[in-house]
Amino acid sequence: MTRVYLPLAAGDLQALLQQEQLPAPRLAFLVTDAQRRADPQADEEELEYDALTEAGEVQLGPRRIVVAADVELHPADGAASPAQLAEPVPLRRVVSCHVSAAGAAPDDELLWYDATELPILLTELLAPG
């Protein structure tokens, strides 16, 4: 399995919960072998944070939303980052969600939510105002 980071809009998060999957194709950011070779001193957590940050820079709405999921990569998905996932991402593969705070600056860190908190998070994101 490979940890990928998927930039979403609030509507994508709603669809994920309702349909229990994210449809493909889907843009995914991930740690690549080239990144590991380019920075051999970096540990996996640092490299994953970089991939998460890259995904968070893809603005799809007023708040930045990135879902982390563990998926099987297929040759058609490519080995570069970002990649295009050829298969839907099941809800059961989502491990966390990272969201910018309301009114956050573009370079502010994303808040972390466990996958079990997605329904609560969605209610907050869709609330008026």
Side-chain angles (χ1 to χ4, degrees):
M1 292 292 185
T2 301
R3 176 72 43 97
V4 295
Y5 299 90
L6 312 164
L8 303 180
D12 295 325
L13 189 58
Q14 185 173 25
L16 171 64
L17 290 170
Q18 290 173 346
Q19 300 166 13
E20 297 190 358
Q21 69 177 10
L22 287 169
R26 175 75 45 191
L27 185 66
F29 293 80
L30 60 139
V31 177
T32 65
D33 290 337
Q35 289 167 308
R36 287 184 184 96
R37 284 191 302 274
D39 191 359
Q41 303 303 321
D43 65 20
E44 195 68 16
E45 190 172 306
E46 290 172 306
L47 295 169
E48 287 182 355
Y49 181 79
D50 290 344
L52 167 65
T53 301
E54 284 183 72
E57 292 173 355
V58 177
Q59 187 66 13
L60 297 175
R63 303 223 1 224
R64 293 174 292 143
I65 304 170
V66 177
V67 167
D70 293 330
V71 301
E72 289 250 358
L73 287 182
H74 302 285
D77 298 331
S81 183
Q84 282 285 348
L85 298 183
E87 299 290 327
V89 177
L91 177 58
R92 71 184 189 295
R93 295 288 182 203
V94 172
V95 294
S96 61
C97 187
H98 308 264
V99 180
S100 61
D107 60 346
D108 285 351
E109 290 200 23
L110 301 178
L111 305 172
W112 179 89
Y113 293 86
D114 185 75
T116 60
E117 298 176 287
L118 291 179
I120 298 165
L121 175 60
L122 182 62
T123 300
E124 176 192 319
L125 290 171
L126 296 179

